[in-house]
């Protein structure tokens, strides 16, 4: 087993990795920025090292500083978590070159999956259905116009290097193509330093269904079932669950086989996710592969009982996976609500600040992943995710009711969060019926915010009566 792991990340995912390491007697080295001096990950690791100022480009993205910290502390492996350097193939290569195990797939695999256009070509070669679109990146607007005329509308322009819902624009008619092309290209260049775009047919009213993959580099490639992530805002996930209410055993089997086949063809090693959109008629299409541990991985852990981070550590240590496909059992139902420091009333604008008071939910079937504590600062320079509230139940309804009561117990004071919005979604009749698609929240947001405002007014009135 690896002996000492440097964790090149912060927040809840850094804690998640520290916890897995401690249970395996693996030492941990945390790196932190000046903004994270008091952060929990810096306190809970065996050792911690400051690597630079608050800005991610001067700390958590500084490959040289992270590599020297790892070498100076005698680490033998680096866990990149998600975000930051997790999908940077050069960083994976540099870790390997420095004699450090990178806890993730080889640099070349990250490189080929990092280009979403190339990843689609690979999936097609593996016999996996892909959303129809351009073969590889577009050369020009004129080429896009020609292809779009053949394919028909509506369609999506997508950044080949894209992620986190960025660099993507929809065009519903030829008149919209030019502005969609220019906007997607500008955003892709600004966010990813790479303006390559490709065209993809828009699948209307789809669900987002993804499969968790684990591969040990010794030929054992398995999937651990699906997660439904259709509750999204700005094409970013807000609520995820497993199993998906939309999948029959036959469809699960078919999509799972496709996901494993894509991972096998890619030469995949470690934990990864194969993402699909599923049309209302039951056709599914590969959209991309994420080559890292994902934010919503605990949903899968709750229903399968498998500790995915420990499996990652095993694979990085050259050990086989602890289970085979036939050992994977899905039991009950799990739901995750992502809690962000953001204001749903102001287009989900991030709202960092000081945590004046914190109370976390507990009790049967509840799991909370967070690095918050009363008094801690949520710095403005990083992702706004502050907590993940998960519930596991024997049935989907029990998981929903447990999630609701967990969110009722959650108190975060000091900045706005999306807690009440998530709580309302869990009461929505379509949500309860499992009638979901990726447009769910866009359609309902206005009405849900109205309800929130009314609740606020009523509780203010009740307060006045009491005083
Ligand atoms: P996932 O399914 O894991 O959420 P996404 O593509 O939506 O995959 O994005 C990954 C997640 O990683 C985001 O939800 C966000 O919270 C986080 N993330 C993305 N980029 C960064 C970054 N530069 N720093 C920190 N976290 C990030
Ligand atoms: P990212 O890398 O930003 O995560 P994805 O390609 O995974 O980008 O797509 C993000 C989201 O955009 C999906 O979850 C889905 O809601 C939507 N989407 C992507 N491709 C399509 C498509 N072809 N048709 C309909 N919706 C899509
Ligand atoms: Mg995606």
């Amino acid at each position: 087993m690896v002996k000492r792991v440097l964790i090149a990340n912060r927040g809840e995912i850094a804690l998640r990795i520290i916890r897995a390491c401690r249970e395996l007697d693996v030492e941990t080295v945390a790196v932190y920025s000046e903004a994270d001096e008091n952060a929990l990950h810096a306190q809970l690791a065996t050792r911690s090292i400051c690597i630079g100022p608050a800005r991610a480009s001067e700390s958590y993205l500084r490959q040289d500083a992270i590599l020297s910290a790892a070498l100076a502390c005698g680490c033998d492996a680096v866990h990149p978590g998600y975000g930051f350097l997790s999908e940077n193939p050069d960083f994976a290569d540099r870790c390997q070159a420095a004699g450090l195990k990178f806890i993730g797939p080889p640099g070349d695999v990250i490189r080929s999956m990092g280009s979403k256009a190339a990843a689609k070509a690979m999936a097609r070669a593996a016999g996996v259905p892909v959303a129809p679109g351009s073969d590889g990146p577009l050369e020009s607007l004129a080429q896009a116009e020609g292809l779009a005329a053949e394919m028909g509308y509506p369609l999506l322009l997508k950044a080949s290097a894209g992620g986190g819902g960025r660099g993507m624009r929809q065009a519903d008619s030829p008149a919209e193509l030019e502005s969609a092309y220019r906007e997607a290209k500008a955003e892709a260049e600004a966010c990813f330093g790479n303006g390559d775009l490709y065209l993809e047919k828009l699948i209307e009213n789809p669900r987002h269904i993804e499969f968790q993959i684990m591969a040990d580099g010794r030929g054992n490639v398995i999937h651990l079932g699906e997660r439904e992530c259709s509750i999204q805002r700005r094409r970013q996930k807000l609520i995820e669950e497993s199993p998906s209410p939309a999948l029959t055993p036959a469809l699960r089997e078919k999509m799972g086989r496709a996901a494993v086949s894509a991972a096998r063809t890619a030469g995949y090693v470690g934990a990864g996710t194969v993402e699909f959109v599923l049309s209302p008629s039951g056709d599914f299409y590969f959209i991309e592969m994420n080559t890292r541990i994902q934010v919503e991985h605990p949903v899968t852990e709750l229903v399968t009982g498998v500790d995915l981070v420990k499996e990652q550590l095993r694979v990085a240590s050259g050990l086989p996976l602890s289970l085979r496909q036939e050992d994977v059992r899905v039991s009950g139902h799990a739901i995750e609500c992502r809690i962000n420091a953001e204001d749903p009333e102001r287009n989900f604008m991030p709202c960092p600040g000081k945590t004046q008071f914190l109370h976390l939910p507990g009790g049967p079937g509840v799991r909370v992943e967070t690095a918050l504590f009363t008094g801690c600062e949520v710095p403005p320079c990083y992702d706004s995710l502050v907590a993940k509230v998960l519930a596991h139940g024997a049935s989907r309804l029990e998981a929903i009711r447990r999630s609701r009561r967990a969110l009722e117990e959650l108190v975060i004071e000091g900045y706005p969060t999306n807690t009440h919005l998530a709580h309302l979604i869990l009461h929505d009749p379509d949500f309860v019926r499992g009638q979901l698609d990726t447009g769910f929240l866009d359609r309902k947001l206005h009405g849900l915010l109205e309800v929130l405002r009314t609740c606020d007014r009523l509780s203010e009135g009740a307060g006045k009566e009491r005083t």
Side-chain angles (χ1 to χ4, degrees):
M1 192 50 93
V2 292
K3 295 210 157 41
R4 192 173 297 158
V5 177
L6 181 132
I7 299 159
N9 216 299
R10 63 181 302 282
E12 63 86 19
I13 192 64
L15 292 191
R16 169 74 190 86
I17 299 161
I18 291 173
R19 287 175 173 141
C21 288
R22 283 178 87 134
E23 289 177 21
L24 292 171
D25 264 331
V26 173
E27 289 179 23
T28 51
V29 175
V31 291
Y32 63 94
S33 73
E34 285 165 12
D36 278 340
E37 237 173 335
N38 299 314
L40 266 191
H41 77 283
Q43 296 183 48
L44 287 189
T46 321
R47 267 189 82 175
S48 33
I49 297 200
C50 182
I51 47 164
R55 281 172 60 157
S57 59
E58 296 173 38
S59 49
Y60 296 105
L61 293 172
R62 280 272 310 275
Q63 300 189 28
D64 54 347
I66 293 169
L67 287 170
S68 25
L71 295 172
C73 294
C75 295
D76 52 0
V78 174
H79 197 309
Y82 57 70
F84 294 126
L85 295 169
S86 61
E87 295 182 278
N88 184 316
D90 299 331
F91 182 62
D93 285 344
R94 285 179 71 178
C95 287
Q96 292 312 40
L100 297 159
K101 294 190 169 95
F102 177 80
I103 303 182
D108 284 342
V109 176
I110 303 179
R111 205 166 276 120
S112 61
M113 294 298 108
S115 154
K116 292 162 83 176
K120 280 182 72 176
M122 179 282 305
R124 205 180 295 117
V128 176
V130 300
S134 55
D135 288 323
L138 299 161
E139 316 244 300
S140 63
L141 174 61
Q143 191 202 3
E145 284 167 340
L147 270 170
E150 280 170 37
M151 280 167 54
Y153 290 80
L155 39 81
L156 284 173
L157 279 153
K158 295 173 84 170
S160 192
R166 304 267 196 77
M168 201 182 298
R169 288 291 182 280
Q170 182 171 339
D172 291 337
S173 67
E176 290 174 19
L177 191 70
E178 182 174 346
S179 62
Y181 183 90
R182 296 203 191 288
E183 283 174 32
K185 200 168 187 69
E187 191 167 287
E189 267 158 13
C191 295
F192 314 108
N194 174 346
D196 283 354
L197 299 179
Y198 62 102
L199 265 181
E200 198 167 272
K201 182 106 192 118
L202 182 90
I203 309 301
E204 293 185 70
N205 306 316
R207 290 169 181 258
H208 174 115
I209 307 283
E210 58 184 35
F211 276 75
Q212 176 68 50
I213 293 293
M214 280 293 330
D216 60 11
R218 300 161 158 235
N220 191 14
V221 185
I222 65 171
H223 76 80
L224 292 107
E226 79 280 6
R227 294 181 288 256
E228 161 127 26
C229 314
S230 298
I231 307 297
Q232 305 181 345
R233 54 136 171 70
R234 283 195 253 107
R235 303 210 154 91
Q236 288 174 348
K237 302 158 182 169
L238 216 52
I239 299 182
E240 302 101 341
E241 61 181 298
S242 183
S244 163
L247 263 55
T248 59
L251 185 54
R252 176 171 300 116
E253 161 93 31
K254 201 165 150 195
M255 291 180 78
R257 232 181 302 121
V260 166
S261 160
R264 211 180 269 289
T265 305
Y268 205 76
V269 182
T273 301
V274 178
E275 297 192 333
F276 299 99
V277 284
L278 174 68
S279 78
S281 56
D283 295 314
F284 63 89
Y285 306 93
F286 171 95
I287 53 172
E288 67 160 341
M289 177 157 195
N290 291 323
T291 54
R292 56 175 156 85
I293 192 79
Q294 227 155 332
V295 174
E296 59 274 25
H297 76 277
V299 167
T300 299
E301 295 187 324
L302 286 177
V303 291
T304 59
V306 175
D307 186 318
L308 292 169
V309 178
K310 284 187 188 166
E311 293 298 324
Q312 284 190 299
L313 291 163
R314 283 181 66 94
V315 169
S317 307
L319 298 168
L321 291 176
S322 70
L323 74 176
R324 311 194 69 82
Q325 188 68 60
E326 55 271 26
D327 304 323
V328 177
R329 296 266 179 285
V330 170
S331 143
H333 201 97
I335 298 178
E336 171 179 277
C337 296
R338 296 193 193 192
I339 305 300
N340 302 305
E342 66 184 16
D343 188 354
E345 285 283 2
R346 287 188 287 166
N347 198 22
F348 299 97
M349 188 176 83
C351 296
K354 183 172 175 168
T355 313
Q356 302 291 355
F357 180 78
L358 176 72
H359 176 78
L360 297 176
V366 172
R367 170 172 167 184
V368 181
E369 296 287 336
T370 184
L372 288 185
F373 55 88
T374 297
C376 80
E377 287 285 343
V378 175
C381 23
Y382 314 115
D383 195 66
S384 60
L385 181 85
V386 291
K388 306 190 301 205
V389 175
L390 290 119
H392 182 243
S395 64
R396 184 168 186 267
L397 187 59
E398 186 175 49
I400 291 176
R401 301 184 86 134
R402 243 180 206 155
S403 296
R404 291 175 184 164
R405 77 98 178 130
L407 294 185
E408 284 156 17
E409 289 176 32
L410 177 67
V411 184
I412 302 177
E413 287 176 2
Y415 38 81
T417 70
N418 62 317
T419 307
H420 294 307
L421 177 66
H423 187 247
L424 268 187
I425 295 172
L426 296 170
H427 286 83
D428 180 274
D430 288 331
F431 182 85
V432 174
R433 283 187 214 110
Q435 283 170 2
L436 314 177
D437 66 78
T438 59
F440 177 99
L441 195 50
D442 284 341
R443 278 195 307 277
K444 305 221 175 212
L445 187 61
H446 183 75
L448 294 173
L449 291 177
E450 280 287 297
V451 177
L452 281 183
R453 271 178 234 130
T454 309
C455 293
D456 283 348
R457 271 200 303 277
L458 288 175
S459 61
E460 270 170 32
K464 277 202 196 93
E465 266 165 41
R466 273 202 302 274
T467 49

